[in-house]
Amino acid sequence: PRVMIVGGGEMGTGIAQLLLAAGHAVCLVDTSSAALGTAVAVLRRRLEREIRVGRMVGSTEELLSRLTTVRDSDWQVVPADVHLAIEAVPDVQEVKRTVLRRLLDASEPSTLIATTSLATPISTLVQGDGSVGRVVGYHFMNPAPALRLCELVVPAGTTDTTVEWSRRFLGGLGLTVIEVDDRPGFAL
């Protein structure tokens, strides 16, 4: 499936690299063209290095051909072909809450939403929202492409379908998935 990542910083680019290497199409969103240019340059360097040392196959251009970038101010709806949107903005409660609210409002009811929130429980970020059934947390280890472990955070109200789809998706990325309670910080 096509995946949208909001936030092109260290974690967002690491997740994008992991997804591109697994063959997924990625739409990366950030606040400015400059931030997106930096994110693409970082991805290019990382992918070239991984190919050069033999940890990845293919060409950098082929991998990057599955990447699209969008300035945050330029998107109003999550594209219908996006099955998963991952919020990877700085771990500031109001910033994360705003981005999650925007993703929930701008996406199809079938689109799953994942947050990388560590500092705030997901239930606090989506409190009072009727869409909590499609929201989970993905605690990727950093750097995401190298550390093959992800905590799957399941807040109260998340549907079994969302949890099972997330398990399969993360497992398909070659990650060991550990389900954890919705609380601040890493469980490990």
Side-chain angles (χ1 to χ4, degrees):
R2 186 168 178 215
V3 179
M4 182 178 204
I5 301 170
V6 179
E10 180 67 26
M11 184 54 67
T13 56
I15 296 167
Q17 179 183 338
L18 182 66
L19 294 172
L20 291 169
H24 295 282
V26 175
C27 176
L28 185 63
V29 178
D30 210 311
T31 55
S32 70
S33 296
L36 288 166
T38 299
V40 171
V42 166
L43 276 168
R44 179 179 298 284
R45 279 193 311 273
R46 288 178 182 170
L47 293 170
E48 287 171 348
R49 182 187 64 232
E50 294 299 299
I51 292 167
R52 188 174 53 253
V53 300
R55 285 191 289 250
M56 289 178 66
V57 294
S59 74
T60 304
E61 294 311 314
E62 184 273 323
L63 291 164
L64 288 176
S65 73
R66 292 194 306 275
L67 176 71
T68 56
T69 59
V70 178
R71 285 183 317 157
D72 183 66
S73 60
D74 291 341
W75 72 275
Q76 303 305 315
V77 296
V78 174
D81 66 338
V82 169
H83 189 73
L84 170 66
I86 301 173
E87 167 278 308
V89 298
D91 218 341
V92 176
Q93 184 173 337
E94 282 310 310
V95 174
K96 285 193 176 283
R97 180 178 281 139
T98 299
V99 170
L100 288 169
R101 172 80 269 136
R102 189 170 175 205
L103 286 170
L104 287 164
D105 289 346
S107 62
E108 297 289 327
S110 60
T111 303
L112 303 183
I113 309 295
T115 176
T116 60
S117 179
L118 279 171
T120 307
I122 300 165
S123 56
T124 301
L125 295 172
V126 295
Q127 189 172 19
D129 189 285
S131 301
V132 71
R134 61 188 177 120
V135 180
V136 290
Y138 292 172
H139 287 175
F140 293 94
M141 305 297 126
N142 195 12
L147 301 176
R148 306 305 251 172
L149 179 68
C150 186
E151 293 180 345
L152 174 58
V153 185
V154 183
T158 298
T159 66
D160 291 342
T161 302
T162 298
V163 174
E164 287 310 310
W165 187 92
S166 291
R167 278 189 170 286
R168 283 192 311 275
F169 177 75
L170 294 168
L173 297 176
L175 300 173
T176 299
V177 180
I178 299 170
E179 191 172 319
V180 298
D181 293 331
D182 183 20
R183 62 177 181 74
F186 285 108
L188 301 176

